[in-house]
Amino acid sequence: MNGDMIGRVIKGRYKLIDERGRGSFATVYVARDLENNHIYAVKVMHLELSNDGELLARFQREAHILLNLSDSHIVRIMDYGNDNNMHYIVMDYIDGQSLKYYMINDGPMDPLRSLNYTHQIAEGLSTANKQGVVHRDIKPQNILINSNDMVKITDFGLARSRETVTLTQSNVFMGTAYYISPEQAESGRSADTRSDLYSVATVLFEMLTGHPPFRGETAVDIVIKHMNEKVPSICRLRPGLPMEMDLFMQKALAKAPADRYPTPQEFMVALEQLQERIQAMPPIPRVERPGGNEQKPGNTGPQKPSVPPQKDACIIVLSSGQTIPLKGELMVVGRQDPTLGIFPEINLADKTVGRRHAYLRNQQGTYTVEDLNALNKTRLNGVILTPHEERSLKDGDVLRFGSVEVRFEYR
C-alpha cells in the first residue's frame, strides 16, 4: 500500500489524488468524489493488515463511533465500507494543519490562543461524553486546526463507547506516553471522560510552555512520572500567567480521577474563568525559543548574546560523499515530486525516502531532527525515532532517511 494507490478509485466513486499522512496500520489520502467533485479525506487500512481481526475491529469501531457523533469540533464521517478487501473511511477534508505543527513552528503560544483551542477540544469531547464515547488518544497530532482557526478532533481509532465490545488488548497501555492519564496507563479499561480531560490539560500545558508536563528518556519513564511526580508549576515555567493557572493544572492533572474536573462542562467553565482573568491582565510576554535573546523584565540596555557563535553545519551522504549545507531555520528532508508540487529543501532522490520524510531545525546553532511519520522510518545512530518528537544532533551523528545514510557535521 504505497504510491501505487494514487489514482485508484474506491467504491467506483472516490479517486485518491494525494497522500496526506501514513500511520502504523492505515494511510490517509486526499480524494475527489467523482459524483459531486467534492474533496474528502479517505482513511484506508493497509491491505496486508486486513486479516488482523484486532486491527480490523479497531478500524470498524472508529467508523461506527464517528457515525453517531455530530459536532463542529469532531471530524465528520461521510461513508465507510469494504471494497475488494480494502477497508476505508471517508471523512471531511480539513484544510489546515495539526496542532502539533503549530506547536513546533510557533513555539509556546499566546495564552488566549491556547485557551481557545483547549475550549474547542473540550466542546468536542462534551459531545462524545454525552454519547458515552471516550477518545483515549487525545494528543496534538490528533487535533486539526482548519483555515478558520477551528479545532477538529480526529483519529477515534482507540475510542470506546458504551456499546463497544472490549478488545483483547484493552488492558495494554494505549495512547501516547506524554499525554496519557495515570489510570489509562495502568488499564485502558478504566479510562473515562476524566482521562480525556487529563490529556487535554497536558496539551494545554505544552501549548503554554513548549513541552509537556512530564518528560523522560523512555515511555516507561514518562508514564511513571505521570503516576508519581507532582505537576510542575506552570507559572514558574511561563512567567506572567495568573496563579489561577497553577491551580487549574493541579486539579486538571490530579493523579486520582475523582480529584479532577468531572465533566467537560465544568472543565470549560474553569477555562472561561481563566480567559477572563488573563484578559484583565497586562499582556503576557511571549516566550522565546531556547537560545533566544529576549530582554528580561527589569533589565535595561541591549542584552549580550547568551549563545556561542553559530557554526556552519552540513550533512554528508555517505554513499556518494555529497555535502549538503544546512541553510535556514526549518528544512524538510524528502524526495522531490514536481507532479505534486513537492520540493523539499533537502532532496534525497531515493524511492525509500518519503516526499516529506523529516524536519531538520536550526535554533540559534542547535540542530534537531524530527521524523514526520515516514513509512521508512528515520534513524539516529541506528535508533528508530518516534514520529513528531525532536531529537538533538551532535557533531558526527549518523542519520538514516529510508535507506539513505548521512552524517551530520559542524564545519
Side-chain angles (χ1 to χ4, degrees):
M1 192 76 75
N2 48 34
D4 62 1
M5 287 292 292
I6 304 300
R8 290 278 294 273
V9 178
I10 295 177
K11 198 184 174 182
R13 177 174 180 178
Y14 306 107
K15 184 175 183 178
L16 307 183
I17 58 177
D18 194 9
E19 182 179 314
R20 184 66 189 266
R22 185 181 295 265
S24 58
F25 78 104
T27 300
V28 177
Y29 296 92
V30 180
R32 184 180 300 279
D33 188 339
L34 299 178
E35 292 187 4
N36 57 26
N37 213 34
H38 287 175
I39 297 296
Y40 293 113
V42 178
K43 188 172 188 177
V44 181
M45 187 173 179
H46 297 328
L47 190 61
E48 63 270 20
L49 300 178
S50 59
N51 292 323
D52 186 319
E54 181 79 15
L55 291 178
L56 183 57
R58 170 180 165 180
F59 192 79
Q60 293 172 335
R61 177 177 60 184
E62 178 176 10
H64 292 148
I65 285 175
L66 284 173
L67 275 177
N68 295 317
L69 292 180
S70 178
D71 187 272
S72 60
H73 298 298
I74 295 176
V75 172
R76 184 177 53 157
I77 184 173
M78 314 301 297
D79 193 3
Y80 76 99
N82 175 8
D83 184 356
N84 292 321
N85 208 34
M86 187 162 52
H87 299 273
Y88 64 90
I89 301 174
V90 181
M91 301 171 286
D92 272 339
Y93 172 74
I94 307 302
D95 182 15
Q97 297 286 351
S98 72
L99 179 57
K100 185 68 175 179
Y101 172 90
Y102 291 109
M103 286 178 167
I104 289 170
N105 289 282
D106 296 351
M109 293 185 184
D110 173 78
L112 289 176
R113 179 187 179 192
S114 302
L115 289 170
N116 174 33
Y117 288 160
T118 306
H119 195 284
Q120 291 187 59
I121 298 169
E123 287 180 53
L125 292 179
S126 177
T127 295
N129 181 48
K130 290 172 184 176
Q131 296 293 325
V133 172
V134 185
H135 188 285
R136 300 200 297 171
D137 198 21
I138 292 293
K139 56 187 177 183
Q141 295 91 327
N142 289 340
I143 306 299
L144 303 180
I145 313 293
N146 72 11
S147 55
N148 294 320
D149 224 26
M150 179 177 284
V151 160
K152 302 282 185 176
I153 305 172
T154 187
D155 201 345
F156 279 75
L158 293 183
R160 190 181 68 224
S161 70
R162 282 188 289 254
E163 293 74 29
T164 299
V165 176
T166 302
L167 300 181
T168 58
Q169 293 188 4
S170 60
N171 276 329
V172 178
F173 149 46
M174 314 263 271
T176 301
Y178 287 117
Y179 312 99
I180 196 167
S181 67
E183 67 275 12
Q184 190 177 347
E186 288 185 305
S187 170
R189 293 173 189 246
S190 61
D192 60 19
T193 191
R194 295 169 297 181
S195 305
D196 279 350
L197 294 175
Y198 180 100
S199 299
V200 177
T202 65
V203 172
L204 173 59
F205 194 104
E206 185 175 3
M207 280 193 278
L208 290 168
T209 66
H211 59 77
F214 302 111
R215 294 179 286 179
E217 291 298 318
T218 68
V220 173
D221 293 339
I222 298 166
V223 167
I224 289 173
K225 290 181 179 181
H226 275 291
M227 298 172 70
N228 298 309
E229 283 198 4
K230 291 183 178 180
V231 180
S233 168
I234 196 168
C235 291
R236 289 183 182 177
L237 295 169
R238 181 74 185 267
L241 290 172
M243 56 177 267
E244 290 88 346
M245 185 67 78
D246 256 341
L247 298 175
F248 170 85
M249 285 297 175
Q250 296 299 322
K251 184 175 178 66
L253 296 175
K255 305 302 180 189
D259 295 332
R260 299 182 207 141
Y261 296 99
T263 66
Q265 287 80 9
E266 291 174 77
F267 188 89
M268 286 188 285
V269 168
L271 290 174
E272 290 161 7
Q273 292 171 346
L274 286 171
Q275 287 173 317
E276 292 175 2
R277 177 75 176 88
I278 290 173
Q279 285 171 338
M281 295 172 58
I284 296 173
R286 176 176 173 79
V287 175
E288 288 293 304
R289 294 176 181 272
N293 298 321
E294 184 178 74
Q295 186 169 315
K296 295 181 179 179
N299 291 345
T300 57
Q303 300 297 300
K304 293 182 180 180
S306 59
V307 294
Q310 292 189 32
K311 297 180 181 179
D312 293 331
C314 66
I315 57 174
I316 300 173
V317 181
L318 298 185
S319 62
S320 65
Q322 178 190 8
T323 299
I324 303 174
L326 300 182
K327 303 292 186 182
E329 294 182 356
L330 179 66
M331 294 152 281
V332 176
V333 180
R335 175 166 47 89
Q336 181 175 302
D337 190 332
T339 303
L340 296 177
I342 297 174
F343 299 94
E345 285 79 7
I346 300 172
N347 178 40
L348 301 177
D350 187 286
K351 64 182 180 181
T352 64
V353 178
R355 295 180 181 91
R356 291 174 56 84
H357 198 105
Y359 281 142
L360 289 177
R361 286 189 182 77
N362 174 11
Q363 299 178 12
Q364 298 290 326
T366 298
Y367 287 81
T368 61
V369 61
E370 177 198 348
D371 179 75
L372 295 178
N373 204 19
L375 176 62
N376 298 311
K377 303 300 183 183
T378 306
R379 289 172 171 81
L380 173 59
N381 297 323
V383 177
I384 296 176
L385 299 184
T386 302
H388 302 297
E389 291 183 13
E390 284 188 83
R391 295 289 297 273
S392 297
L393 294 175
K394 61 182 185 298
D395 192 36
D397 278 344
V398 175
L399 292 160
R400 182 169 177 170
F401 306 104
S403 63
V404 179
E405 281 195 331
V406 305
R407 185 171 64 249
F408 172 81
E409 290 187 2
Y410 283 109
R411 293 291 178 90

